[in-house]
Amino acid sequence: MSATVGGESTQHPNPGPAEKMGFTRGQVVQELGWDNDTDDDLRIAIEDALDADMVDGDYGNVVESVLLWWRDEDGDLVDGLVDAKADLVGGGVIWLLTPKVGRPNCVDAADIAEAAPIAGLAQTTTAAVSKDWQATRLVTPKTPA
């Protein structure tokens, strides 16, 4: 834990989902797939961690992370992931948010595992981030130098 000039801590003693996902102040995060079923508390927590609003698909510049809300009914996951990579800076992260198992429109874990490498991504972790949503961290695999 580090401290600022004023002595206050820069880390939360009990980090919430936004901090566990690695969101920090000043990052530019693009949000795709927002709809009326997304978790507003999670969205607010992420924007609080960023100390800024998330940008949308019309942003027109590079972003450090993409938050992609995806449901089984949203179509072809590979296409969705490829589109999500469009504005992502090298080394950036896509957080694929899908309804948890048993919730309407949940996405099968095998579908994510199959779609990620086809889209040029590697799956690193999956975690529950809210009552109804889970997050899968996807990154561009490192290439040998």
Side-chain angles (χ1 to χ4, degrees):
M1 187 178 292
S2 61
T4 62
V5 175
E8 56 281 0
S9 169
T10 58
Q11 292 182 353
H12 299 278
N14 296 312
E19 291 81 18
K20 288 179 183 177
M21 293 168 78
F23 293 115
T24 58
R25 184 178 187 178
Q27 286 182 316
V28 178
V29 177
Q30 185 176 56
E31 181 182 36
L32 303 173
W34 179 90
D35 206 339
N36 61 3
D37 64 344
T38 56
D39 189 301
D40 285 334
D41 290 337
L42 178 60
R43 294 179 74 245
I44 291 167
I46 291 169
E47 289 183 335
D48 285 349
L50 300 174
D51 196 27
D53 292 338
M54 290 183 276
V55 299
D56 63 17
D58 296 329
Y59 179 61
N61 207 340
V62 295
V63 297
E64 294 151 302
S65 293
V66 174
L67 196 69
L68 176 60
W69 300 92
W70 196 265
R71 303 141 198 90
D72 191 48
E73 68 184 11
D74 286 343
D76 184 61
L77 182 55
V78 174
D79 289 344
L81 292 172
V82 169
D83 290 346
K85 287 174 37 178
D87 295 330
L88 192 64
V89 71
V93 174
I94 295 175
W95 282 101
L96 176 65
L97 291 153
T98 56
K100 287 182 178 178
V101 173
R103 305 301 197 280
N105 286 307
C106 72
V107 177
D108 192 284
D111 292 343
I112 298 170
E114 181 181 319
I118 294 170
L121 297 163
Q123 181 177 340
T124 61
T125 57
T126 299
V129 292
S130 75
K131 180 178 146 243
D132 294 317
W133 293 86
Q134 64 184 13
T136 302
R137 184 176 184 269
L138 303 169
V139 297
T140 304
K142 293 181 181 173
T143 55

